Structure formats: C-alpha cells, structure tokens
Amino acid sequence: MGYTSIKVSVITLGYFFMLFVTFTSILNPIFASKICEFPAIFNLGDSNSDTGTLSAAFTPPKSPNGDTYFHMPSGRFSDGRLIIDFVAKSFNLPFLSAYLDSLGTSYTHGANFASARATIRFPSPIIPANGGYSPFYLDVQYQQFMQFKERSQIIRKQGGKFAKLMPKEEYFREALYTFDIGHNDIGAGIFSNMSIEEVKASVPDIVDTFSIYVKNIYESGGRSFWIHSTGPIGCLAYVLTAFPSAEKDSAGCAKEYNEVSRYFNYKLKEAVSQLRKDLPLAALTFVDLYPVKYSLFAEPKKYGFELPLIVCCGYGGKYNFSDDAPCGETIAVNNTKMVVGSCDNPSVRVNWDGSHYTDAANKFVFDRISTGEFSDPPIPLSMACRRNA
Ligand SMILES: *[C@@H]1O[C@H](CO)[C@@H](O)[C@H](O)[C@H]1NC(C)=O
Ligand SMILES: *[C@@H]1O[C@H](CO)[C@@H](O)[C@H](O)[C@H]1NC(C)=O
Ligand SMILES: *[C@@H]1O[C@H](CO)[C@@H](O)[C@H](O)[C@H]1NC(C)=O
C-alpha cells in the first residue's frame, strides 16, 4: 500500500468515525456529554465501604489488614483497598476520610459515613454486645451527614487552618453520593431464627427504608447517586461455616442465602427506578455487583483467582474460618499462641477474612462495574451525573 492510499484510508476512517460519533450523539445524549467532574464523594454504607469509621469509634482492625496496599492497618477490613477507594481514585480524588475519624483527616473532597456492621434498619444487638451491629446504621449516618453539611460550612466561614479541610458549599450539589448497604440486614435476618421465607418477606421494608434516605439527601441538594447492590452472601465463609448443611450450587455457594441477596437486589433495582420517577432532577444509577462478585466464585481461574471459598486470613474448619479466630487476632492452638495471619498470595485470592473481599477482588469488581455494563441505566461511573430517564 502506497503513501496516498494510507492517507486516503486514514481520512476515510476519520470520516466514518465522525459519522459514528455524530449519530451516536444524536441517538444517545450520553455519548455527547463530557465526563462528570465530581469535586467530592459522600458515601454511606457498611464494611464494604468503611474506610475507618468502626476503627475510629471502637477497635482498629489489626495487621495483616491493610498490609497489601497500605503496609499497615488502614481502618479497612481488607488487605488493601475497597471499591470506594477505586471509585475515588478514578476521579483523581483522595481516599475518603471517615467522618468519625478525628485524627489526620481531610474532608475537602468528601467524607465517608459508612460503618462496618451497619444496617439499613435499626439493628439489634448493637456493638459492644456480642455479635452486635453498628450503632451507626443508615439513619445515624444520614444524621451525621446533615451535621457535617452544616458544620463544615460554619468552619469554612470561620477561616483558619481547619477551613481548607472542609468541602466548598457547592460540592454538596455537585458531589457523587454513593451507597453500599443492605448486606448486614440480610445477615441479621439469616443469623436470627427467621426462616429464609421470613427473611425474604423482610426485604421490601428494608428497601423502602433505604429509599427514604436517598430522598432525604436529594431534598438536601444531592443530585448524583451511585447505588451498589449486595453481593452473594451465600458464597462467604462466615455464612457457609454457620450453615454447613445448606444446599450448595455448582460454585459451592449456599443457594438459598444467595437467593435472598438476589431478591434484595431485585427490590432495590425496582426502588431505584421508582426514585428516578420521584426525584426529577436526580441521576440515579443502580449498580449490580452480584453477578460480578459471583463470577469470582463461579469461574475464579478465568479471572486469575484461586480458592475463592477459602479464607486467606482465618483459621480452622472447611473454609479456613472460625468465629473464634478473626483475622489479625492472637489465638491459642495446642496451648501455643498464634497470630491469625495472611495467606501467601492474597493477590490471587477472593475472600480475605471470611466476610470481606481482598484488594485484588475489589479491584476486579471495580474494573467491571465502572464500565456501566452492570448498571441501570447502563452508563459508566464517569458519567454518573447524567440523568438518562
Ligand atoms: C434461636 O433459637 C435458639 C433456640 O430456641 C436460641 O437458643 C437462640 O438464642 C436463638 N437465636 C437468636 C439469634 O434469636
Ligand atoms: C494441634 O494438635 C493436633 C493434634 O495433635 C495436630 O493435628 C495439629 O496439627 C496441631 N496444630 C498445630 C497448629 O500445630
Ligand atoms: C488460612 O489462614 C492462615 C492464617 O491463619 C494462612 O496462613 C493460610 O495460608 C490460610 N490457608 C489458605 C489455604 O489460604
């Protein structure tokens, strides 16, 4: 092929590309839009997105938590980053500081209200009771957010060294509001004496309660919402260990517990559709994490993972997990003290500590959900400010 024909084909290609862009822009305004520039993120949720709340309020998770990425405990229940960390990074924003963390924190680009063990509904029992849930359940997280919204602006107006650690007033309208909560409401149900049918029957009320808080934040001025579904709870070692006789699927996950997760997600998706009708100025994206997380259990090798059901940092039993031997704690085995440490290569593992995912698994999930392939509407994270009703 001579020089001229190369030039011609480049021009032709360019022409077709322009035609393509023009057509897709007309047909779908999403492609015409620029990517969103969120100056801040405000997050509400449970341990799947807690970057330091429970740690600051009660006891920090111990090493090897944090070892892979932070090289020390970071307030997260993982060896490294959580999905919310990858979300923040994708917008070139710093990792979110927990609102309750009073040490070395900056809220210039958002704040994190998520707490490990948090539920949507009022929980029972509450930490420090044995097996307790977080006192910072969704209603409290929302109250904290409202207090933060008001007091951060008072501090900005006062000036001085704390002012620049606070978000600008307009950031509350321009921010991305992210949610990852509901997992522990399902957990609370299945670990009570409720039947699976009873747990399922509780889902509509859980989801209705969730919707109230999205509406409240909308009323306070929030416009862009990125809402995660819940993962396959029946694939996690803490559930598999507690219910050893549960019927398993081909991935080795407990079928009926996963059914509850999927039912929750179905109702949540429905609720988000309704919110899209009720909140005319909101861009609401429902993001279904379930199929992505489940693929790690169903086809681990395909994605470079191994032993997805087995806990990396745990001890005992079929799944290397026991309630008496939490990751990072010192336990006595045969009268010898031993620290529950990490497996050799957490970068190929899925389950970190029995109920949480590894840095590698969280990155895998983020990479897939950020494209929009698992979202309703199917828009990528970078365009989550666009309303596409
Ligand atoms: C479930 O029932 C058993 C036996 O009745 C009881 O010992 C246990 O405390 C109950 N568990 C919960 C979470 O209510
Ligand atoms: C503890 O003792 C049992 C029985 O002697 C043995 O099978 C097991 O390997 C020991 N565990 C450790 C961690 O040494
Ligand atoms: C089980 O957990 C221990 C830490 O207590 C770790 O050393 C070991 O590698 C884990 N086993 C597997 C198969 O990951």
Side-chain angles (χ1 to χ4, degrees):
M1 214 161 37
Y3 172 73
T4 337
S5 62
I6 289 175
K7 202 164 86 181
V8 166
S9 54
V10 168
I11 290 169
T12 317
L13 266 178
Y15 175 70
F16 279 117
F17 181 70
M18 272 173 59
L19 265 183
F20 172 77
V21 170
T22 313
F23 272 116
T24 49
S25 304
I26 293 164
L27 295 175
N28 187 344
I30 291 303
F31 286 102
S33 325
K34 281 200 295 186
I35 64 163
C36 308
E37 283 172 22
F38 297 114
I41 297 172
F42 297 104
N43 180 66
L44 289 80
D46 56 31
S47 59
N48 289 307
S49 62
D50 179 356
T51 56
T53 298
L54 202 76
S55 170
F58 298 104
T59 318
K62 294 178 181 156
S63 175
N65 282 289
D67 273 11
T68 297
Y69 185 80
F70 301 96
H71 309 297
M72 60 179 184
S74 69
R76 293 159 177 79
F77 292 88
S78 175
D79 60 319
R81 294 156 293 182
L82 309 180
I83 295 171
I84 188 68
D85 295 317
F86 293 106
V87 170
K89 191 173 147 243
S90 77
F91 294 110
N92 287 317
L93 297 174
F95 293 151
L96 293 183
S97 288
Y99 166 74
L100 286 188
D101 193 352
S102 47
L103 301 175
T105 46
S106 165
Y107 304 108
T108 317
H109 297 287
N112 193 356
F113 302 87
S115 166
R117 303 289 291 158
T119 48
I120 292 172
R121 297 197 301 184
F122 182 75
S124 173
I126 286 179
I127 298 170
N130 207 6
Y133 292 91
S134 174
F136 315 115
Y137 71 113
L138 187 57
D139 184 67
V140 175
Q141 291 183 28
Y142 167 71
Q143 303 297 339
Q144 291 175 338
F145 165 74
M146 291 305 284
Q147 180 176 168
F148 175 80
K149 187 167 187 272
E150 189 182 332
R151 287 181 57 211
S152 62
Q153 297 315 299
I154 296 171
I155 291 165
R156 269 184 67 82
K157 281 179 195 117
Q158 284 169 344
K161 65 183 172 188
F162 296 121
K164 63 178 186 304
L165 299 174
M166 299 296 142
K168 293 181 181 162
E169 190 173 11
E170 62 266 29
Y171 285 8
F172 289 93
R173 187 184 65 250
E174 297 166 352
L176 181 64
Y177 288 84
T178 54
F179 296 82
D180 194 323
I181 194 162
H183 178 95
N184 291 324
D185 294 84
I186 297 171
I190 66 179
F191 280 93
S192 72
N193 283 335
M194 285 159 83
S195 70
I196 286 291
E197 286 314 312
E198 287 169 328
V199 181
K200 273 192 185 165
S202 72
V203 165
D205 184 60
I206 295 169
V207 169
D208 287 349
T209 307
F210 174 80
S211 290
I212 291 170
Y213 293 96
V214 175
K215 280 186 186 159
N216 287 352
I217 289 177
Y218 177 86
E219 295 304 329
S220 89
R223 289 296 175 260
S224 301
F225 299 88
W226 180 262
I227 299 166
H228 287 174
S229 78
T230 197
I233 196 168
C235 297
L236 299 178
Y238 85 108
V239 169
L240 290 164
T241 301
F243 306 102
S245 55
E247 194 191 335
K248 310 295 191 304
D249 65 14
S250 57
C253 301
K255 269 187 182 172
E256 57 179 3
Y257 299 103
N258 276 351
E259 265 167 41
V260 183
S261 296
R262 287 199 303 271
Y263 181 61
F264 174 85
N265 293 343
Y266 165 77
K267 296 304 281 183
L268 182 64
K269 184 178 179 181
E270 234 178 40
V272 175
S273 300
Q274 184 58 45
L275 286 167
R276 220 171 273 127
K277 292 178 192 138
D278 297 344
L279 311 177
L281 302 176
L284 289 141
T285 313
F286 167 83
V287 188
D288 199 2
L289 266 54
Y290 185 101
V292 183
K293 286 187 168 173
Y294 187 77
S295 68
L296 287 168
F297 298 97
E299 299 179 283
K301 286 206 178 69
K302 182 172 169 189
Y303 303 112
F305 289 88
E306 61 186 38
L307 303 172
L309 299 172
I310 310 298
V311 173
C312 168
C313 184
Y315 182 81
K318 189 174 170 194
Y319 301 101
N320 202 30
F321 174 82
S322 149
D323 281 330
D324 314 325
C327 178
E329 294 299 328
T330 302
I331 57 168
V333 179
N334 299 344
N335 290 321
T336 310
K337 281 192 175 168
M338 175 191 125
V339 175
V340 179
S342 172
C343 59
D344 288 339
N345 195 359
S347 70
V348 297
R349 301 293 289 274
V350 175
N351 193 329
W352 169 242
D353 62 1
S355 48
H356 303 110
Y357 291 78
T358 59
D359 179 277
N362 285 329
K363 182 174 191 308
F364 171 86
V365 175
F366 171 78
D367 287 345
R368 287 188 174 53
I369 61 167
S370 56
T371 63
E373 191 187 337
F374 298 92
S375 298
D376 175 39
I379 59 170
L381 174 62
S382 60
M383 295 193 177
C385 60
R386 308 283 169 218
R387 187 176 160 84
N388 184 26

